[in-house]
Amino acid sequence: MSEKVLMKGNEAFAEAAIRGGCRFYFGYPITPQSEIPEYMSRELPKRGGTFLQAESELGAINAAYGAGAAGGNVFISSSSPGIALMQEGVSFLCSAEVPVVMLNVSRGGPGIGGIQPGQADYYQVTRGGGNGDYRVPVFAPSSIQEGVDLIYEAPVLADEWRNPIMLLADGMLGQMMEPVVLPEQRPFAESADIRAKKPWALKGYGDSDKNKAVVKSLRMQPDDLEAHVEKLFAKYREAEKALVRWESEGLEDADVVFVAFGTVARLTKEAIEILASQGVKAGLIRPISLWPFPYQAFDEISPKTKVVISTELSMGQMIEDVKVGVNGRYPVELIHRTGGIVPTSLEVAEKAREILAKI
Amino acid sequence: MERYIRPLDRRITVICGHYGSGKTELAVNLAMMLAGTDHGYERLAVVDLDIINPYFRSREQRKLLEDAGVGVYGSAYRGEITAELPALGADIRAPLEDADCRVLIDAGGNDSGAIVLNQFGKYFTPENTRMLAVVNANRPDTRDFAGAVEQIAAIEAVTGLKAEGIVNNTHLLRETDAATILKGHRLCEEICEKTGRVLWCDCYPEPVVRREELEGLPYRMPLKLYMRPTWLDVKI
């Protein structure tokens, strides 16, 4: 294990993608993730990879589609409006079952919004902005180290599930600095590896039709398309079981249970300490996978709990999944700020006390 | 009284360094340390020339600094701390031209950030300006002599200013211990010896390292973590 270094989130995420074996990066600058394409433009060529600044996010996602279809391990990143532009491509990647690792360092919206941190892309990343029936596994780290570890794992998961894997890290995680331990370099896949491990990839199989590979999302026959979508959903049902991740604490005797992901989970943890000092027992469910959402975590909440509070940097998007998880057993409330404003832990603790007082 | 830092013997102190080396935290700490003391000038100002970083800029601490009597100059969009337009206010020239004002300049990171200094180049005469380069030996690009010197040389090349002073700001945030700082001290001493510079101070984060642990270092500068909300260090 290498020694700890102090890195900015975006630098660490880019390095983790390279070390995870992502040999191809296509991107377009956008705050607050521009350090990633900058880092990749400097590092990838030195290390045998390919960096391409696309003419737009549309170009980037379609270059990713191409390189991924050829079996390459691809990493792309952007921030909220840029990820919005990529949604058509995500739908195509899912239909064609092309693995790509994507990172959204999210900011405030809607529209071009602002550059400060936001979580209002929850619907975008968990429901998808693209057309058709598809799903994308989404992981939301709460620290730079967790982001590094998830990004390092993501190319393996993407290949295993033949699907894009999305990471959602709000702008604070991209911009803040933290000590991290970087993983060892996983070797870049060579053509022979790809041919052996990805028989579906477009590797140039000569004139013979025997091993011909086709990567496509067009299926004009309804029964063919239905069968394809059913097959995708059989895969998603397996992914729901295999990829769901969360952490929880203090659920056994909590008066109030917070649900929070990303940096909000960190400040919520501090809010829980503040509440404890005031005699209020609070617990936390921290979804790490946003799809699949950890509904089962809510079964661990004590019957004595008075309220479940979704804490978000949006007008309340995850709260819909929280309500499904709670399933009518407890009142569900929202503590939120939006527009790029991050509440203080004191603010969260005070609002929680106000909510408790009314119950 | 024990000094925390080698005397800031010229009116203008330019704080430059590698991206993420801790320039802003040092600038804000120096300003708060000097505010209300006899620092040799009638006024004190912080000039934030960081137009690269979208978050964690010294102008975010405008209220703290202004309440302490420190002037804050930076973006043309005073209230718009989040604007990413690389626009600097014309009033930046005021403290630079004011012979009675001590100025601390928080430059942007790397050579690409420090290049902004050039438009104010006429104020940076050798008589009134000293540039300090901040080094954090835990940043991957400045972890050894070659890397750290390359960064300093690049900043000097684009600005035409010499970083005569080196500031050791080697830390791992709240995971910093005395050994971390001493590792950085050794690197900074090597830089000073081999490239003819002077170690201006060794910084340590006040909440996690005790002053006595750094006994023997000539100038120990305690840093409060003004720029870092405590929840950022909550363990996940």
Side-chain angles (χ1 to χ4, degrees):
Chain A
M1 191 161 278
S2 62
E3 66 173 319
K4 272 193 178 169
V5 287
L6 187 65
M7 293 184 86
K8 190 169 193 170
N10 284 332
E11 299 171 338
F13 298 156
E15 182 61 34
I18 297 174
R19 292 189 184 214
C22 291
R23 189 175 187 171
F24 302 94
Y25 177 89
F26 313 111
Y28 188 81
I30 178 171
T31 307
Q33 66 85 56
S34 293
E35 293 87 356
I36 298 174
E38 184 186 12
Y39 192 92
M40 289 304 200
S41 69
R42 192 176 75 225
E43 290 298 321
L44 260 184
K46 277 197 281 193
R47 291 153 75 168
T50 298
F51 166 86
L52 176 77
Q53 176 164 331
E55 73 275 21
S56 74
E57 289 83 353
L58 282 172
I61 187 85
N62 285 293
Y65 188 11
N73 286 111
V74 183
F75 176 65
I76 57 176
S77 64
S78 189
S79 179
S80 308
I83 296 288
L85 269 172
M86 293 178 172
Q87 291 301 319
E88 176 194 68
V90 178
S91 169
F92 279 50
L93 288 167
C94 287
S95 179
E97 296 188 89
V98 171
V100 166
V101 178
M102 304 180 68
L103 169 62
N104 180 358
V105 183
S106 59
R107 58 191 240 180
I112 205 76
I115 62 168
Q116 296 295 312
Q119 294 182 327
D121 294 356
Y122 186 88
Y123 289 156
Q124 184 193 58
V125 295
T126 61
R127 271 64 174 165
N131 60 298
D133 288 317
Y134 71 91
R135 283 296 196 180
V136 176
V138 183
F139 297 102
S142 281
S143 70
I144 297 177
Q145 185 68 60
E146 189 174 39
V148 163
D149 295 343
L150 285 168
I151 290 171
Y152 186 74
E153 183 188 1
V156 177
L157 293 178
D159 282 353
E160 182 186 343
W161 293 93
R162 279 191 63 188
N163 207 75
I165 299 285
M166 176 76 82
L167 282 298
L168 178 65
D170 58 73
M172 187 60 80
L173 280 165
Q175 291 296 324
M176 67 184 280
M177 296 183 76
E178 203 164 54
V180 287
V181 176
L182 294 165
E184 294 301 313
Q185 176 73 49
R186 191 180 283 139
F188 289 156
E190 300 296 337
S191 291
D193 308 325
I194 293 170
R195 215 178 278 270
K197 289 181 193 157
K198 299 182 177 176
W200 50 266
L202 307 180
K203 283 302 300 166
Y205 289 88
D207 295 333
S208 163
D209 273 356
K210 205 175 83 184
N211 294 320
K212 195 166 130 190
V214 178
V215 172
K216 64 170 186 177
S217 71
L218 177 68
R219 286 181 169 78
M220 292 295 283
Q221 299 301 326
D223 53 349
D224 179 26
L225 180 55
E226 185 183 53
H228 176 64
V229 176
E230 289 285 3
K231 189 191 86 176
L232 291 179
F233 272 69
K235 177 173 83 173
Y236 299 150
R237 281 190 288 276
E238 291 304 310
E240 276 187 273
K241 285 181 248 166
L243 297 180
V244 66
R245 294 180 196 182
W246 76 93
E247 274 185 3
S248 55
E249 61 181 50
L251 300 189
E252 59 288 346
D253 60 350
D255 301 315
V256 49
V257 169
F258 291 101
V259 188
F261 68 96
T263 56
V264 181
R266 295 170 84 127
L267 69 90
T268 301
K269 278 199 174 194
E270 198 173 69
I272 289 170
E273 288 168 22
I274 294 167
L275 287 168
S277 72
Q278 298 167 342
V280 179
K281 286 180 183 164
L284 174 68
I285 294 173
R286 179 170 76 87
I288 298 169
S289 59
L290 302 182
W291 189 88
F293 190 79
Y295 300 113
Q296 52 271 63
F298 294 78
D299 297 339
E300 306 299 319
I301 298 176
S302 157
K304 289 184 289 184
T305 294
K306 298 185 182 83
V307 62
V308 175
I309 299 176
S310 190
T311 315
E312 306 184 49
L313 301 182
S314 72
M315 291 306 289
Q317 299 190 2
M318 178 178 67
I319 194 169
E320 292 190 359
D321 280 327
V322 172
K323 284 177 179 169
V324 174
V326 165
N327 198 18
R329 289 173 285 186
Y330 312 94
V332 175
E333 296 284 342
L334 174 70
I335 294 178
H336 78 291
R337 296 298 300 263
T338 195
I341 293 175
V342 181
T344 63
S345 37
L346 202 60
E347 189 179 337
V348 171
E350 279 170 9
K351 284 188 177 167
R353 282 167 63 90
E354 284 169 23
I355 288 169
L356 273 170
K358 284 184 199 156
I359 285 172
Chain B
M1 195 184 87
E2 189 194 352
R3 296 200 64 95
Y4 292 154
I5 183 166
R6 192 177 288 277
L8 299 171
D9 51 353
R10 295 184 192 156
R11 188 173 72 81
I12 298 172
T13 305
V14 177
I15 300 167
C16 70
H18 181 53
Y19 189 57
S21 57
K23 299 172 292 297
T24 298
E25 201 70 90
L26 178 66
V28 173
N29 270 272
L30 280 176
M32 294 302 289
M33 185 185 83
L34 293 170
T37 69
D38 178 17
H39 53 78
Y41 296 86
E42 287 177 30
R43 285 172 287 280
L44 176 62
V46 168
V47 174
D48 178 1
L49 293 186
D50 185 354
I51 56 167
I52 289 192
N53 236 4
Y55 296 11
F56 306 111
R57 301 184 286 205
S58 54
R59 51 190 177 270
E60 289 176 26
Q61 297 298 337
R62 176 182 293 277
K63 186 170 182 329
L64 171 86
L65 292 164
E66 287 183 345
D67 285 352
V70 182
V72 181
Y73 298 82
S75 169
Y77 303 92
R78 283 191 154 251
E80 299 284 333
I81 57 161
T82 71
E84 62 179 333
L85 297 172
L88 294 167
D91 61 354
I92 284 174
R93 292 175 193 274
L96 293 172
E97 290 186 0
D98 179 357
D100 296 323
C101 185
R102 177 182 278 286
V103 184
L104 302 167
I105 296 185
D106 178 12
N110 288 13
D111 48 337
S112 48
I115 201 166
V116 176
L117 289 164
N118 283 340
Q119 61 181 296
F120 306 103
K122 68 174 179 180
Y123 302 110
F124 303 140
T125 60
E127 296 74 35
N128 72 3
T129 304
R130 190 173 303 276
M131 185 155 83
L132 306 179
V134 182
V135 175
N136 181 346
N138 283 327
R139 294 281 288 139
D141 288 347
T142 54
R143 65 202 306 176
D144 55 20
F145 174 79
V149 169
E150 186 185 328
Q151 290 292 336
I152 296 167
I155 291 167
E156 290 178 337
V158 299
T159 61
L161 299 171
K162 181 167 165 69
E164 295 158 302
I166 299 294
V167 172
N168 171 30
N169 188 35
T170 300
H171 68 87
L172 283 169
L173 291 159
R174 286 177 209 273
E175 295 178 32
T176 312
D177 58 15
T180 310
I181 293 160
L182 293 171
K183 175 182 82 173
H185 178 80
R186 287 191 291 276
L187 173 65
C188 289
E189 275 195 326
E190 185 186 0
I191 294 168
C192 290
E193 277 165 27
K194 291 185 179 167
T195 66
R197 298 169 211 269
V198 177
L199 184 62
W200 228 258
C201 66
D202 292 281
C203 301
Y204 64 97
E206 214 177 23
V208 291
V209 176
R210 285 177 300 115
R211 188 166 187 78
E212 310 82 79
E213 295 179 79
L214 302 171
E215 205 69 57
L217 301 188
Y219 295 99
R220 292 166 281 170
M221 172 77 193
L223 293 188
K224 291 188 169 63
L225 303 182
Y226 289 113
M227 300 303 298
R228 196 165 172 93
T230 53
W231 61 264
L232 283 184
D233 295 308
V234 170
K235 284 280 174 220
I236 284 291

